[in-house]
Amino acid sequence: MTDGLLTGIDQPQVLETTLSLPYTLTTGRAAGTFLAELGNKRILGSRCDKCARVMTPPQDYCSRCGSASETFVHMPERGTVTAVTRTDRAILALVQLDGSDSGFLHRLAPDSHHAAVGARVRAVWADTPSQSMLDLDCFALDDTGGHAGSAIEVGEVAVVAELAYSLTLHYKHAYGPHYGRLFDELATHRRILGSLCPSCRNVLVPPREFCDACFVRTAQYVDVADTGILQAFSVIHMEFVGQTRKPPYVYAEIVLDGSATRLIHTIAGFDVTTAAERLQIGMPVRAVWKDRADCHGTLDDIDYFEIVTGSERGD
Amino acid sequence: MRSVAIVGAGQTRHARRRKDVTQVALAREAVTSALQDAGLTMDDIDSVVVCSGPVLFAAVNQPEKWLVDAIGARLKPVVRVTSGGGTGLAGALAAVNQIRGGFAERVLVVAYDKLSEGALQYSISTLYDPFWGREFAVGIMGFAAAYWRARMDSLGHTEEAAAMVSVKNHRNALLNPYAHVKKEVSVEDVMNSRPLCWPIKLLDVPPISDGACAVVLSSEDAAKASADPAWIRGIAYYSEAENAANRSMIQSEPLTIAAQRVYKQAGITNPRRQCDVVEVQEPYTCFELSYYEGLGLCPPGGAADLISSGATLIDGDIPVNPSGGCMGANPIGATALIRLAEVAQQVRGRAGNHQIPDARVGLMQAGGGWANLRGVAVVASTKG
Ligand SMILES: [Zn+2]
Ligand SMILES: [Zn+2]
């Protein structure tokens, strides 16, 4: 159980969830070559063969004419600040390298407090390459004057073809009045609530503001039994990233007695390897609750649903 | 209502992983191919619809922004449409409506997904309510397997019948140059394959693919320049309430409604007799059985007999998925548009080795979820 009721109005109660997703990104020719060349302390740009636009970092396709015909060029390490801003972590700037037609978003050296639009800067390289944009550590103010010449064509060079990446996303989902009440009742009274539609007289679980079919406001909360009918099931053997339990287990859709909607849960308490033969659609099932100490106001407070004995075919 | 035609279609080389291209380069490959097929350039395109699956698939949000440069769509209208497995068809419907409404004469629809970049089942599981059901979600596979099992009881959609779908579609994919799964399988192979979410087994499941498809849609006036337009004779896309009371999970109501509406638009009263070729988006083999019934190719409960009869084989009287369907390649965001492109190429006589002789009327179906979002289209070689 969380601190206080989930329906408390003083402070909105939230369900905190985290998604941690792994990725393997394909860099493509331009970004892959750019990253490889940063490791060699060279800044790569691309020049459109059709309209001569020069872009840094290099692009696979020209942003002006859409041509895929791009020649890679080594860019001078000096340029001019065209925009600047400060965050709590860094001074960020758009740097237009000499000979480039596009701005390059990067950070300025930490001591560049007086950097302004028009300031001249030069590249500062990281001591140890990490195969990322930060191989170019930052741009530092540079008042040595003069332009550093133009882009030089390069032939084919090594490519960083793939990059490991991850997204870790934290969410705070507000319970709202209906989910709050539902999970409060679940955690404190082991009671499952639905809401009654005054029009079609169906009881909807989880409880909600409106009936999805009639689109009228629901009238009242109704207690629903913790027993029901197995409407559909499958047996999960597959393992996948983000899975919350270990296969094999049963994926079950249950219609609780007194309700007209689907509840997704699992059937256990028997030898799961016999599930395909033993489970029958339409068989009665009953919730097996966790110990009160382990109940936190989630669907997981129900450990699993069990087959109601005496209900099996042939019994 | 203004008539709309498909005047060009193209696909990429699909693969389990395309290491040689970024997401946007993949999309560009399909666009280049479709424009070439249509004999047009981006200068001829008034508007672009980009279609791709959930952004968690490949970690790039608002990818249409990135696509603008890659396909040369700068300063043109560009919007993205997404709707699960039906994404590509929903995008085509948006394009059709842009033309019908007079907003554009030619619209490019490009649909893609690069599924090799991320964790597929995990991403799909985030489609579920975080409070209610997500912790038990197994993509849509656990759910689909559960209601297939229920259909076995009520409609006789047996494991053997589904295995025949796998055998047929795998065999057809051998003829399709774009398919990347090229292997013949037997009913026994499917039946003995490893259970993933029983009754769904490994060979009931299409591959995970990187791939893209693009289609050029044209108004009647603009289509005059095309030698072989494929006319959209009907197109519709419907939904139902996800968690409503007494929801029928046995037949898809949105599919029935969409099919009836499209048949009315296209003047079809007997789809099995009047359609020459069918392409359906089958996330698992059991879906194809259910579509036979939802599309009215056979009565409810008749799907197992229909597949057993051989009628849906490439040389049967109502060939379904001569391209191999999803079994050959399944880049989810592109899959629905591939089905539309395939029937268009069939009625244009451009389907290559899996061409159905003299195909004039093509029927396609696609959708997202188990039964929630369903679309249907009919294309034909004549305007009607
Ligand atoms: Zn250019
Ligand atoms: Zn109601």
Side-chain angles (χ1 to χ4, degrees), chain A residues 20 23-28 61 63 66 162 179 202 206 208 231 233-235 237-238 241 244-245 253 260 262-263 281, chain B residues 17 19 21-22 25 28 56 69 74 114 117 122 129 132 135-136 142-143 146-147 195-198 242-243 245-246:
Chain A
S20 298
Y23 292 95
T24 310
L25 302 182
T26 313
T27 52
Y61 309 106
S63 60
E162 293 183 340
Y179 273 133
N202 281 311
R208 62 201 73 171
Q231 172 164 282
F233 73 95
S234 57
V235 189
H237 297 273
M238 178 176 67
V241 177
T244 53
R245 53 199 67 212
E253 298 223 346
R262 311 174 291 122
L263 167 76
I281 287 159
Chain B
R17 179 156 177 80
K19 278 192 193 182
V21 285
T22 60
R28 182 182 172 109
L56 286 182
D69 292 21
R74 175 175 172 261
K114 200 161 189 317
E117 311 264 299
Y122 189 10
D129 185 334
W132 193 260
E135 59 218 281
F136 298 103
F143 175 66
Y147 283 100
L196 299 179
C197 297
W198 182 88
E242 162 72 12
N243 205 18
N246 304 322

Short mmCIF file of all heavy atoms in Angstrom, two decimals, chain A residues 20 23-28 61 63 66 162 179 202 206 208 231 233-235 237-238 241 244-245 253 260 262-263 281, chain B residues 17 19 21-22 25 28 56 69 74 114 117 122 129 132 135-136 142-143 146-147 195-198 242-243 245-246:
data_model
loop_
_atom_site.label_atom_id
_atom_site.label_comp_id
_atom_site.label_asym_id
_atom_site.label_seq_id
_atom_site.Cartn_x
_atom_site.Cartn_y
_atom_site.Cartn_z
N SER A 20 12.87 0.72 -20.02
CA SER A 20 14.30 0.71 -20.36
C SER A 20 14.47 -0.08 -21.65
O SER A 20 14.38 -1.30 -21.64
CB SER A 20 15.11 0.05 -19.25
OG SER A 20 14.96 0.79 -18.07
N TYR A 23 18.66 -0.42 -27.89
CA TYR A 23 18.62 -0.25 -29.34
C TYR A 23 19.99 -0.52 -29.96
O TYR A 23 21.02 -0.35 -29.29
CB TYR A 23 18.22 1.19 -29.72
CG TYR A 23 16.79 1.51 -29.38
CD1 TYR A 23 16.47 2.15 -28.18
CD2 TYR A 23 15.76 1.18 -30.24
CE1 TYR A 23 15.15 2.43 -27.86
CE2 TYR A 23 14.44 1.46 -29.92
CZ TYR A 23 14.14 2.09 -28.74
OH TYR A 23 12.84 2.37 -28.43
N THR A 24 19.98 -0.92 -31.22
CA THR A 24 21.19 -0.92 -32.04
C THR A 24 20.88 -0.05 -33.24
O THR A 24 20.11 -0.45 -34.11
CB THR A 24 21.54 -2.35 -32.51
OG1 THR A 24 21.53 -3.20 -31.37
CG2 THR A 24 22.92 -2.38 -33.15
N LEU A 25 21.41 1.15 -33.27
CA LEU A 25 21.07 2.10 -34.32
C LEU A 25 22.00 1.94 -35.52
O LEU A 25 23.20 1.70 -35.35
CB LEU A 25 21.15 3.53 -33.79
CG LEU A 25 20.26 3.84 -32.58
CD1 LEU A 25 20.41 5.31 -32.20
CD2 LEU A 25 18.79 3.53 -32.88
N THR A 26 21.43 2.08 -36.70
CA THR A 26 22.22 2.08 -37.93
C THR A 26 22.56 3.53 -38.26
O THR A 26 21.66 4.35 -38.41
CB THR A 26 21.41 1.47 -39.09
OG1 THR A 26 20.81 0.26 -38.63
CG2 THR A 26 22.28 1.19 -40.29
N THR A 27 23.85 3.83 -38.34
CA THR A 27 24.24 5.23 -38.51
C THR A 27 24.04 5.72 -39.93
O THR A 27 23.79 6.89 -40.15
CB THR A 27 25.73 5.40 -38.16
OG1 THR A 27 26.45 4.44 -38.91
CG2 THR A 27 25.98 5.19 -36.69
N GLY A 28 24.19 4.82 -40.91
CA GLY A 28 24.19 5.27 -42.31
C GLY A 28 25.56 5.80 -42.68
O GLY A 28 26.45 5.96 -41.83
N TYR A 61 21.72 13.17 -47.55
CA TYR A 61 20.89 13.80 -48.59
C TYR A 61 20.95 15.30 -48.39
O TYR A 61 20.93 15.80 -47.27
CB TYR A 61 19.45 13.32 -48.48
CG TYR A 61 19.37 11.82 -48.44
CD1 TYR A 61 19.09 11.15 -47.25
CD2 TYR A 61 19.65 11.07 -49.57
CE1 TYR A 61 19.06 9.77 -47.20
CE2 TYR A 61 19.64 9.70 -49.54
CZ TYR A 61 19.34 9.04 -48.36
OH TYR A 61 19.34 7.69 -48.31
N SER A 63 19.83 18.92 -47.91
CA SER A 63 18.62 19.50 -47.32
C SER A 63 18.05 20.60 -48.21
O SER A 63 16.96 21.08 -47.95
CB SER A 63 18.93 20.04 -45.93
OG SER A 63 19.92 21.03 -46.03
N GLY A 66 17.65 17.82 -52.11
CA GLY A 66 17.22 16.43 -51.97
C GLY A 66 18.13 15.43 -52.67
O GLY A 66 17.86 14.23 -52.65
N GLU A 162 27.27 0.86 -36.70
CA GLU A 162 26.21 0.65 -35.71
C GLU A 162 26.60 1.28 -34.39
O GLU A 162 27.77 1.34 -34.05
CB GLU A 162 25.98 -0.85 -35.48
CG GLU A 162 25.41 -1.57 -36.67
CD GLU A 162 25.12 -3.03 -36.39
OE1 GLU A 162 25.70 -3.57 -35.41
OE2 GLU A 162 24.34 -3.62 -37.13
N TYR A 179 -9.32 4.93 -11.03
CA TYR A 179 -8.24 3.99 -10.76
C TYR A 179 -7.81 4.06 -9.29
O TYR A 179 -7.47 3.07 -8.67
CB TYR A 179 -7.04 4.25 -11.67
CG TYR A 179 -7.09 3.55 -13.01
CD1 TYR A 179 -6.81 4.23 -14.19
CD2 TYR A 179 -7.40 2.19 -13.08
CE1 TYR A 179 -6.84 3.59 -15.41
CE2 TYR A 179 -7.44 1.55 -14.31
CZ TYR A 179 -7.16 2.24 -15.47
OH TYR A 179 -7.19 1.60 -16.67
N ASN A 202 -24.50 -2.76 -18.07
CA ASN A 202 -23.29 -3.57 -17.93
C ASN A 202 -22.40 -3.00 -16.83
O ASN A 202 -22.37 -1.78 -16.60
CB ASN A 202 -22.50 -3.57 -19.24
CG ASN A 202 -23.09 -4.53 -20.25
OD1 ASN A 202 -23.38 -5.68 -19.93
ND2 ASN A 202 -23.30 -4.04 -21.46
N PRO A 206 -11.90 -2.18 -15.54
CA PRO A 206 -11.87 -1.28 -14.40
C PRO A 206 -12.97 -0.22 -14.49
O PRO A 206 -13.46 0.06 -15.57
CB PRO A 206 -10.47 -0.63 -14.53
CG PRO A 206 -10.12 -0.75 -15.96
CD PRO A 206 -10.75 -2.02 -16.43
N ARG A 208 -14.92 3.27 -14.70
CA ARG A 208 -14.57 4.40 -15.56
C ARG A 208 -15.71 5.41 -15.56
O ARG A 208 -16.82 5.13 -15.13
CB ARG A 208 -14.27 3.90 -16.97
CG ARG A 208 -15.46 3.21 -17.62
CD ARG A 208 -15.07 2.28 -18.74
NE ARG A 208 -14.44 1.06 -18.23
CZ ARG A 208 -14.16 0.00 -18.99
NH1 ARG A 208 -14.39 0.03 -20.28
NH2 ARG A 208 -13.62 -1.08 -18.47
N GLN A 231 -12.19 -16.67 -20.36
CA GLN A 231 -12.74 -16.38 -21.69
C GLN A 231 -11.77 -16.79 -22.79
O GLN A 231 -12.19 -17.17 -23.88
CB GLN A 231 -13.07 -14.89 -21.81
CG GLN A 231 -13.46 -14.47 -23.22
CD GLN A 231 -14.14 -13.12 -23.27
OE1 GLN A 231 -15.32 -12.97 -22.95
NE2 GLN A 231 -13.39 -12.11 -23.66
N PHE A 233 -7.26 -18.05 -23.38
CA PHE A 233 -5.94 -18.21 -22.77
C PHE A 233 -4.94 -18.67 -23.82
O PHE A 233 -5.30 -19.25 -24.84
CB PHE A 233 -5.98 -19.25 -21.63
CG PHE A 233 -6.12 -20.67 -22.14
CD1 PHE A 233 -5.00 -21.48 -22.32
CD2 PHE A 233 -7.37 -21.20 -22.44
CE1 PHE A 233 -5.12 -22.78 -22.80
CE2 PHE A 233 -7.50 -22.49 -22.93
CZ PHE A 233 -6.38 -23.29 -23.11
N SER A 234 -3.67 -18.37 -23.54
CA SER A 234 -2.57 -18.93 -24.33
C SER A 234 -1.46 -19.27 -23.35
O SER A 234 -1.51 -18.87 -22.18
CB SER A 234 -2.10 -17.94 -25.40
OG SER A 234 -1.70 -16.72 -24.82
N VAL A 235 -0.49 -20.03 -23.83
CA VAL A 235 0.61 -20.44 -22.96
C VAL A 235 1.89 -19.79 -23.47
O VAL A 235 2.31 -20.05 -24.60
CB VAL A 235 0.75 -21.97 -22.92
CG1 VAL A 235 1.76 -22.37 -21.84
CG2 VAL A 235 -0.60 -22.64 -22.68
N HIS A 237 5.61 -19.24 -23.95
CA HIS A 237 6.90 -19.93 -23.87
C HIS A 237 8.03 -18.98 -24.24
O HIS A 237 9.20 -19.24 -23.94
CB HIS A 237 6.93 -21.12 -24.84
CG HIS A 237 5.93 -22.18 -24.51
ND1 HIS A 237 6.20 -23.20 -23.62
CD2 HIS A 237 4.65 -22.38 -24.92
CE1 HIS A 237 5.13 -23.99 -23.52
NE2 HIS A 237 4.17 -23.50 -24.29
N MET A 238 7.68 -17.92 -24.95
CA MET A 238 8.67 -17.01 -25.51
C MET A 238 9.26 -16.09 -24.42
O MET A 238 8.54 -15.63 -23.55
CB MET A 238 7.96 -16.16 -26.56
CG MET A 238 8.78 -15.12 -27.22
SD MET A 238 7.83 -14.28 -28.51
CE MET A 238 6.58 -13.43 -27.56
N VAL A 241 12.73 -9.11 -23.98
CA VAL A 241 13.20 -8.00 -23.16
C VAL A 241 12.01 -7.29 -22.53
O VAL A 241 11.04 -7.01 -23.21
CB VAL A 241 13.99 -6.99 -24.03
CG1 VAL A 241 14.43 -5.78 -23.20
CG2 VAL A 241 15.18 -7.66 -24.68
N THR A 244 7.83 -9.55 -17.53
CA THR A 244 7.72 -9.40 -16.08
C THR A 244 7.70 -10.74 -15.34
O THR A 244 7.76 -10.78 -14.13
CB THR A 244 6.45 -8.61 -15.70
OG1 THR A 244 5.33 -9.23 -16.33
CG2 THR A 244 6.56 -7.17 -16.15
N ARG A 245 7.54 -11.85 -16.05
CA ARG A 245 7.61 -13.16 -15.39
C ARG A 245 8.28 -14.18 -16.28
O ARG A 245 8.47 -13.97 -17.47
CB ARG A 245 6.25 -13.64 -14.90
CG ARG A 245 5.17 -13.65 -15.95
CD ARG A 245 3.82 -13.68 -15.29
NE ARG A 245 3.58 -12.44 -14.57
CZ ARG A 245 2.87 -12.34 -13.46
NH1 ARG A 245 2.32 -13.39 -12.92
NH2 ARG A 245 2.69 -11.17 -12.87
N GLU A 253 -7.45 -14.22 -20.21
CA GLU A 253 -8.46 -13.16 -20.21
C GLU A 253 -9.68 -13.72 -19.49
O GLU A 253 -10.24 -14.76 -19.87
CB GLU A 253 -8.79 -12.73 -21.63
CG GLU A 253 -7.56 -12.15 -22.33
CD GLU A 253 -7.84 -10.89 -23.13
OE1 GLU A 253 -9.02 -10.59 -23.36
OE2 GLU A 253 -6.87 -10.21 -23.50
N ALA A 260 -18.83 -7.34 -17.35
CA ALA A 260 -19.00 -7.67 -18.77
C ALA A 260 -17.76 -7.29 -19.57
O ALA A 260 -17.82 -7.09 -20.78
CB ALA A 260 -20.23 -6.93 -19.31
N ARG A 262 -13.12 -7.55 -19.95
CA ARG A 262 -12.02 -8.51 -19.88
C ARG A 262 -10.99 -8.06 -18.85
O ARG A 262 -10.62 -6.90 -18.80
CB ARG A 262 -11.32 -8.60 -21.24
CG ARG A 262 -12.28 -8.79 -22.39
CD ARG A 262 -11.55 -8.72 -23.73
NE ARG A 262 -11.07 -7.40 -24.06
CZ ARG A 262 -9.80 -7.10 -24.30
NH1 ARG A 262 -8.87 -8.01 -24.25
NH2 ARG A 262 -9.46 -5.87 -24.60
N LEU A 263 -10.53 -9.01 -18.06
CA LEU A 263 -9.43 -8.76 -17.12
C LEU A 263 -8.26 -9.64 -17.58
O LEU A 263 -8.42 -10.84 -17.77
CB LEU A 263 -9.85 -9.15 -15.71
CG LEU A 263 -8.74 -9.25 -14.66
CD1 LEU A 263 -8.30 -7.85 -14.24
CD2 LEU A 263 -9.18 -10.03 -13.44
N ILE A 281 -11.92 -23.17 -22.21
CA ILE A 281 -12.60 -21.88 -22.26
C ILE A 281 -13.97 -22.03 -21.61
O ILE A 281 -14.67 -23.02 -21.84
CB ILE A 281 -12.68 -21.40 -23.71
CG1 ILE A 281 -11.27 -20.96 -24.12
CG2 ILE A 281 -13.66 -20.25 -23.87
CD1 ILE A 281 -11.03 -20.91 -25.56
N ARG B 17 17.83 -7.39 -41.03
CA ARG B 17 18.49 -6.14 -40.64
C ARG B 17 19.19 -5.53 -41.84
O ARG B 17 20.01 -6.18 -42.48
CB ARG B 17 19.50 -6.38 -39.52
CG ARG B 17 20.23 -5.09 -39.10
CD ARG B 17 20.75 -5.17 -37.69
NE ARG B 17 21.52 -4.00 -37.28
CZ ARG B 17 20.99 -2.84 -36.87
NH1 ARG B 17 19.68 -2.68 -36.85
NH2 ARG B 17 21.75 -1.84 -36.50
N LYS B 19 21.83 -3.19 -42.53
CA LYS B 19 22.92 -2.45 -41.89
C LYS B 19 23.40 -1.31 -42.77
O LYS B 19 24.14 -0.45 -42.32
CB LYS B 19 24.10 -3.39 -41.65
CG LYS B 19 23.98 -4.23 -40.40
CD LYS B 19 25.34 -4.87 -40.11
CE LYS B 19 25.19 -5.95 -39.07
NZ LYS B 19 26.47 -6.57 -38.73
N VAL B 21 21.63 0.98 -44.41
CA VAL B 21 20.81 2.19 -44.51
C VAL B 21 20.25 2.62 -43.15
O VAL B 21 19.96 1.79 -42.30
CB VAL B 21 19.60 2.00 -45.46
CG1 VAL B 21 20.03 2.02 -46.91
CG2 VAL B 21 18.84 0.71 -45.14
N THR B 22 20.09 3.94 -43.00
CA THR B 22 19.37 4.47 -41.85
C THR B 22 17.88 4.30 -42.13
O THR B 22 17.47 3.92 -43.23
CB THR B 22 19.65 5.97 -41.68
OG1 THR B 22 19.21 6.62 -42.88
CG2 THR B 22 21.12 6.25 -41.47
N ALA B 25 17.02 6.49 -45.09
CA ALA B 25 17.56 6.00 -46.36
C ALA B 25 16.71 4.83 -46.86
O ALA B 25 16.52 4.64 -48.06
CB ALA B 25 19.01 5.57 -46.19
N ARG B 28 13.71 6.36 -48.41
CA ARG B 28 14.07 6.95 -49.71
C ARG B 28 14.16 5.90 -50.81
O ARG B 28 13.76 6.14 -51.95
CB ARG B 28 15.40 7.71 -49.59
CG ARG B 28 15.77 8.39 -50.90
CD ARG B 28 17.10 9.10 -50.81
NE ARG B 28 17.51 9.58 -52.11
CZ ARG B 28 17.53 10.86 -52.46
NH1 ARG B 28 17.17 11.79 -51.61
NH2 ARG B 28 17.92 11.22 -53.67
N LEU B 56 8.75 4.01 -30.45
CA LEU B 56 9.63 3.20 -29.59
C LEU B 56 10.29 2.07 -30.38
O LEU B 56 11.30 1.54 -29.95
CB LEU B 56 8.86 2.62 -28.40
CG LEU B 56 8.49 3.59 -27.30
CD1 LEU B 56 7.77 2.87 -26.16
CD2 LEU B 56 9.73 4.30 -26.73
N ASP B 69 14.18 15.87 -45.69
CA ASP B 69 15.44 16.04 -46.44
C ASP B 69 15.69 14.82 -47.33
O ASP B 69 16.06 14.95 -48.49
CB ASP B 69 16.64 16.15 -45.50
CG ASP B 69 16.64 17.43 -44.69
OD1 ASP B 69 15.56 18.03 -44.55
OD2 ASP B 69 17.71 17.83 -44.21
N ARG B 74 11.12 19.05 -49.14
CA ARG B 74 11.23 20.39 -48.58
C ARG B 74 10.16 21.32 -49.17
O ARG B 74 9.94 21.34 -50.37
CB ARG B 74 12.63 20.90 -48.92
CG ARG B 74 12.95 22.30 -48.55
CD ARG B 74 14.42 22.55 -48.87
NE ARG B 74 14.75 23.94 -48.72
CZ ARG B 74 14.83 24.79 -49.76
NH1 ARG B 74 14.62 24.38 -50.98
NH2 ARG B 74 15.14 26.06 -49.54
N LYS B 114 11.97 0.14 -39.26
CA LYS B 114 13.27 -0.51 -39.17
C LYS B 114 13.28 -1.24 -37.83
O LYS B 114 13.78 -0.75 -36.82
CB LYS B 114 14.38 0.55 -39.26
CG LYS B 114 15.73 -0.05 -39.66
CD LYS B 114 16.68 1.00 -40.19
CE LYS B 114 17.95 0.40 -40.79
NZ LYS B 114 18.57 -0.67 -40.07
N GLU B 117 16.15 -2.26 -35.07
CA GLU B 117 16.85 -1.32 -34.19
C GLU B 117 16.50 -1.52 -32.71
O GLU B 117 17.32 -1.26 -31.84
CB GLU B 117 16.52 0.13 -34.58
CG GLU B 117 16.68 0.43 -36.06
CD GLU B 117 18.01 1.05 -36.46
OE1 GLU B 117 18.32 2.14 -35.98
OE2 GLU B 117 18.72 0.45 -37.27
N TYR B 122 8.64 -5.79 -26.42
CA TYR B 122 8.61 -4.83 -25.31
C TYR B 122 7.92 -3.55 -25.77
O TYR B 122 7.03 -3.01 -25.09
CB TYR B 122 10.04 -4.57 -24.86
CG TYR B 122 10.22 -3.76 -23.58
CD1 TYR B 122 9.17 -3.45 -22.74
CD2 TYR B 122 11.50 -3.35 -23.22
CE1 TYR B 122 9.38 -2.73 -21.58
CE2 TYR B 122 11.73 -2.63 -22.06
CZ TYR B 122 10.66 -2.32 -21.24
OH TYR B 122 10.88 -1.60 -20.10
N ASP B 129 -2.63 -0.41 -21.31
CA ASP B 129 -2.83 0.49 -20.17
C ASP B 129 -1.79 0.16 -19.08
O ASP B 129 -1.69 -0.99 -18.65
CB ASP B 129 -4.25 0.22 -19.65
CG ASP B 129 -4.67 1.15 -18.52
OD1 ASP B 129 -3.78 1.65 -17.80
OD2 ASP B 129 -5.88 1.35 -18.36
N TRP B 132 -3.45 -1.38 -16.06
CA TRP B 132 -4.41 -2.46 -16.21
C TRP B 132 -4.02 -3.34 -17.39
O TRP B 132 -4.44 -3.11 -18.51
CB TRP B 132 -5.81 -1.85 -16.42
CG TRP B 132 -6.93 -2.82 -16.30
CD1 TRP B 132 -7.60 -3.41 -17.32
CD2 TRP B 132 -7.49 -3.32 -15.09
NE1 TRP B 132 -8.54 -4.26 -16.82
CE2 TRP B 132 -8.52 -4.22 -15.46
CE3 TRP B 132 -7.23 -3.11 -13.74
CZ2 TRP B 132 -9.28 -4.91 -14.53
CZ3 TRP B 132 -7.99 -3.78 -12.81
CH2 TRP B 132 -9.00 -4.67 -13.20
N GLU B 135 1.34 -5.35 -17.40
CA GLU B 135 2.32 -6.25 -16.78
C GLU B 135 2.21 -7.69 -17.30
O GLU B 135 3.13 -8.45 -17.19
CB GLU B 135 2.21 -6.21 -15.26
CG GLU B 135 0.84 -6.59 -14.75
CD GLU B 135 0.42 -5.76 -13.54
OE1 GLU B 135 0.87 -6.04 -12.43
OE2 GLU B 135 -0.36 -4.81 -13.73
N PHE B 136 1.06 -8.02 -17.90
CA PHE B 136 0.89 -9.37 -18.44
C PHE B 136 1.00 -9.41 -19.96
O PHE B 136 0.87 -10.47 -20.56
CB PHE B 136 -0.47 -9.94 -18.03
CG PHE B 136 -0.62 -10.07 -16.54
CD1 PHE B 136 -1.38 -9.15 -15.83
CD2 PHE B 136 0.02 -11.08 -15.85
CE1 PHE B 136 -1.51 -9.25 -14.45
CE2 PHE B 136 -0.11 -11.18 -14.47
CZ PHE B 136 -0.87 -10.26 -13.77
N GLY B 142 0.45 -12.85 -27.21
CA GLY B 142 -0.22 -13.60 -26.15
C GLY B 142 -1.73 -13.51 -26.30
O GLY B 142 -2.47 -14.50 -26.19
N PHE B 143 -2.17 -12.31 -26.58
CA PHE B 143 -3.57 -11.97 -26.77
C PHE B 143 -4.14 -12.67 -28.01
O PHE B 143 -5.19 -13.31 -27.98
CB PHE B 143 -3.58 -10.45 -26.90
CG PHE B 143 -4.86 -9.80 -27.21
CD1 PHE B 143 -5.87 -9.84 -26.28
CD2 PHE B 143 -5.03 -9.12 -28.39
CE1 PHE B 143 -7.07 -9.19 -26.55
CE2 PHE B 143 -6.22 -8.48 -28.66
CZ PHE B 143 -7.24 -8.52 -27.73
N ALA B 146 -4.52 -16.34 -27.53
CA ALA B 146 -5.63 -16.67 -26.64
C ALA B 146 -6.95 -16.71 -27.40
O ALA B 146 -7.76 -17.62 -27.22
CB ALA B 146 -5.70 -15.66 -25.50
N TYR B 147 -7.18 -15.72 -28.26
CA TYR B 147 -8.46 -15.70 -28.97
C TYR B 147 -8.46 -16.63 -30.19
O TYR B 147 -9.52 -17.05 -30.64
CB TYR B 147 -8.88 -14.27 -29.28
CG TYR B 147 -9.43 -13.65 -28.01
CD1 TYR B 147 -8.66 -12.80 -27.23
CD2 TYR B 147 -10.69 -14.01 -27.56
CE1 TYR B 147 -9.14 -12.30 -26.04
CE2 TYR B 147 -11.18 -13.51 -26.36
CZ TYR B 147 -10.40 -12.66 -25.61
OH TYR B 147 -10.88 -12.17 -24.42
N PRO B 195 6.72 -23.82 -29.77
CA PRO B 195 5.64 -22.90 -29.37
C PRO B 195 6.22 -21.59 -28.81
O PRO B 195 7.14 -21.62 -28.00
CB PRO B 195 4.90 -23.68 -28.28
CG PRO B 195 5.84 -24.70 -27.78
CD PRO B 195 6.83 -24.99 -28.87
N LEU B 196 5.67 -20.46 -29.27
CA LEU B 196 6.08 -19.16 -28.73
C LEU B 196 5.03 -18.72 -27.72
O LEU B 196 5.33 -18.49 -26.55
CB LEU B 196 6.23 -18.14 -29.85
CG LEU B 196 7.28 -18.48 -30.92
CD1 LEU B 196 7.32 -17.40 -31.99
CD2 LEU B 196 8.66 -18.63 -30.29
N CYS B 197 3.79 -18.58 -28.20
CA CYS B 197 2.65 -18.36 -27.32
C CYS B 197 1.63 -19.38 -27.81
O CYS B 197 0.87 -19.09 -28.73
CB CYS B 197 2.09 -16.95 -27.46
SG CYS B 197 3.25 -15.68 -26.97
N TRP B 198 1.64 -20.57 -27.22
CA TRP B 198 0.79 -21.63 -27.72
C TRP B 198 -0.65 -21.16 -27.76
O TRP B 198 -1.09 -20.53 -26.81
CB TRP B 198 0.90 -22.88 -26.82
CG TRP B 198 0.07 -24.01 -27.36
CD1 TRP B 198 0.44 -24.96 -28.26
CD2 TRP B 198 -1.30 -24.26 -27.04
NE1 TRP B 198 -0.63 -25.77 -28.54
CE2 TRP B 198 -1.71 -25.37 -27.81
CE3 TRP B 198 -2.25 -23.65 -26.21
CZ2 TRP B 198 -3.01 -25.89 -27.75
CZ3 TRP B 198 -3.54 -24.15 -26.15
CH2 TRP B 198 -3.91 -25.27 -26.92
N GLU B 242 -11.82 -0.53 -27.24
CA GLU B 242 -10.85 -1.54 -26.81
C GLU B 242 -11.36 -2.39 -25.65
O GLU B 242 -11.21 -3.59 -25.63
CB GLU B 242 -9.55 -0.80 -26.41
CG GLU B 242 -8.58 -1.55 -25.55
CD GLU B 242 -7.84 -2.67 -26.28
OE1 GLU B 242 -7.91 -2.73 -27.51
OE2 GLU B 242 -7.21 -3.48 -25.58
N ASN B 243 -11.97 -1.74 -24.67
CA ASN B 243 -12.31 -2.49 -23.45
C ASN B 243 -13.79 -2.37 -23.11
O ASN B 243 -14.17 -2.34 -21.96
CB ASN B 243 -11.44 -1.98 -22.29
CG ASN B 243 -11.27 -3.04 -21.21
OD1 ASN B 243 -11.49 -4.22 -21.46
ND2 ASN B 243 -10.89 -2.62 -20.03
N ALA B 245 -17.85 -3.39 -22.94
CA ALA B 245 -18.53 -4.58 -22.44
C ALA B 245 -18.88 -5.52 -23.59
O ALA B 245 -19.15 -5.08 -24.71
CB ALA B 245 -19.81 -4.15 -21.72
N ASN B 246 -18.86 -6.81 -23.29
CA ASN B 246 -19.33 -7.85 -24.22
C ASN B 246 -18.72 -7.73 -25.61
O ASN B 246 -19.38 -7.98 -26.61
CB ASN B 246 -20.86 -7.80 -24.35
CG ASN B 246 -21.53 -7.94 -23.00
OD1 ASN B 246 -21.07 -8.71 -22.15
ND2 ASN B 246 -22.58 -7.18 -22.76
#
